[in-house]
Amino acid sequence: MSVPSLAVIGAGHMGGLHAQKLALLAAEGAIRFAGVCDLDPERARQVAEPLGAPLLATLAEVCEAADAGCVAVPTVLHARIAGELLDAGLDVLVEKPLAMSREEARSLIDNAEKGGRILQVGHIERFSRAFREILPAISRPRFIEVHRIGPWSGRATDVSVILDLMIHDLDIVAQLAGREVERAEGIGVPVLSQTEDIANARLKFAGGCVANLTASRVSPERMRKIRLFQPDAYISIDFGTNRIVVMRREGELGADGVPPIHTEQLEFDESDALLAQDRSFAEAVRTRRAPEVTGEDGYRALDLALRIQDSIPPLEELA
């Protein structure tokens, strides 16, 4: 395949962003932008028209026009829409979470494997420049602390904040710890929706690493930060500002009994992680290589999110 043809399915907030990125990739000649599809034709038109992209009225039209699809529909529809595209022989990038249940997620993975299709999951923080730059320096973390909080947006209320926001960090933490999770515990409460809007989780990994994660979509301040403590260093990654702080012990103890500490602060220009993600997906479609975030990666994050969600006691037990 020389230049793959990609379509966007779902013209909501994330679908609109994906459409903008595909338009940029099309302008570079990296892909052909096959069009935008949504159940609401007017919403699809509002996304597609400013970008000069075609309107696709049905999934059947998507399957005729495209080699691959970016699925940005509500989570409850991920399994059905992505499954239909895979059945038709298309490669698929599906927004996180991969599906609503383990069974749905496993079905999508098996479907892609049987058909020889690419299945990538939209865990966008994997494509953050700050994260990519510091990744080689992270080894054997013993404690990981994560905060992903922000104000109410009214989006993604069909799932809890664990499946909406925390799942980003569950993917990252599982990758960094590199071991199985022995215990997962959570607490959370609904505030403005019918599901948990603020939650905290504690994970214990084989080998001893512990991770503490907090996610909120009802906080006045915005924060997206991971702090790692490992035998030789403390590392802070701010995904919101693309800043990294590394404090590392160097040399022998001084006369005061304290070893020298070297502090390094790194700051990167704002990067477009979504564009990098969609470019990576297009390249996987073109070259037939494995995607950077596989279906199995998406399943692992979903499984952790569901384990945490299932561990939260009912509100009446907290009274």
Side-chain angles (χ1 to χ4, degrees):
M1 184 185 301
S2 55
V3 179
S5 179
L6 275 65
V8 172
I9 301 90
H13 175 72
M14 283 306 301
L17 294 176
H18 278 291
Q20 293 173 19
K21 306 315 172 188
L22 294 194
L24 290 174
L25 294 175
E28 296 175 4
I31 67 162
R32 289 191 305 106
F33 192 176
V36 178
C37 180
D38 193 276
L39 283 175
D40 183 340
E42 176 58 22
R43 186 163 59 181
R45 185 193 64 78
Q46 290 175 4
V47 169
E49 195 172 82
L51 301 172
L55 285 174
L56 301 170
T58 65
L59 277 185
E61 290 189 15
V62 171
C63 296
E64 286 288 330
D67 301 308
C70 295
V71 176
V73 298
T75 304
V76 293
L77 298 176
H78 281 188
R80 181 171 73 81
I81 301 301
E84 288 189 27
L85 296 179
L86 290 168
D87 286 341
L90 274 68
D91 299 312
V92 174
L93 166 63
V94 59
E95 269 298 330
K96 56 77 196 164
L98 174 56
M100 286 291 290
S101 70
R102 297 177 181 90
E103 294 75 19
E104 288 180 342
R106 181 55 59 193
S107 177
L108 289 176
I109 294 168
D110 292 344
N111 193 343
E113 290 179 351
K114 289 176 183 176
R117 310 321 305 168
I118 302 293
L119 176 61
Q120 181 168 326
V121 186
H123 285 288
I124 191 173
E125 297 293 19
R126 294 275 199 106
F127 298 88
S128 158
R129 185 179 174 195
F131 178 69
R132 286 176 174 249
E133 291 287 344
I134 199 60
L135 189 57
I138 299 174
S139 64
R140 297 181 296 129
R142 301 295 293 168
F143 179 68
I144 306 173
E145 185 175 38
V146 184
H147 286 86
R148 183 175 296 266
I149 62 176
W152 177 254
S153 70
R155 297 192 302 269
T157 56
D158 58 327
V159 295
S160 72
V161 73
I162 300 166
L163 286 167
D164 176 24
L165 298 182
M166 187 185 287
I167 197 165
H168 283 296
D169 302 305
L170 293 172
D171 172 61
I172 293 294
V173 165
Q175 180 190 12
L176 296 180
R179 306 289 288 273
E180 292 297 315
V181 175
E182 294 181 337
R183 188 169 70 249
E185 300 173 343
I187 192 74
V189 293
V191 179
L192 297 177
S193 76
Q194 299 301 308
T195 60
E196 291 85 8
D197 294 313
I198 184 166
N200 176 264
R202 188 173 180 85
L203 306 178
K204 171 83 163 47
F205 291 87
C209 178
V210 171
N212 189 68
L213 304 94
T214 300
S216 170
R217 55 190 179 193
V218 288
S219 298
E221 299 179 356
R222 188 180 300 276
M223 181 189 296
R224 291 187 292 145
K225 186 175 286 189
I226 292 182
R227 302 175 179 91
L228 302 104
F229 302 80
Q230 59 189 45
D232 65 335
Y234 159 78
I235 300 171
S236 172
I237 309 167
D238 191 325
F239 288 104
T241 62
N242 282 310
R243 292 176 181 169
I244 296 171
V245 175
V246 181
M247 301 179 67
R248 195 181 302 275
R249 183 182 62 199
E250 293 186 347
E252 301 299 323
L253 297 179
D256 57 359
V258 178
I261 303 294
H262 175 72
T263 301
E264 184 178 13
Q265 299 189 44
L266 306 171
E267 187 170 351
F268 303 96
D269 294 337
E270 185 175 355
S271 60
D272 192 331
L274 186 61
L275 179 61
Q277 173 189 268
D278 288 358
R279 188 192 305 280
S280 174
F281 174 59
E283 188 65 9
V285 171
R286 186 184 69 82
T287 62
R288 312 312 301 163
R289 63 164 172 75
E292 291 193 50
V293 185
T294 66
E296 292 292 350
D297 293 330
Y299 183 93
R300 178 181 62 187
L302 174 65
D303 177 64
L304 278 176
L306 293 176
R307 286 174 64 181
I308 292 165
Q309 196 164 273
D310 292 343
S311 76
I312 295 175
L315 285 175
E316 54 268 23
E317 292 186 15
L318 300 175

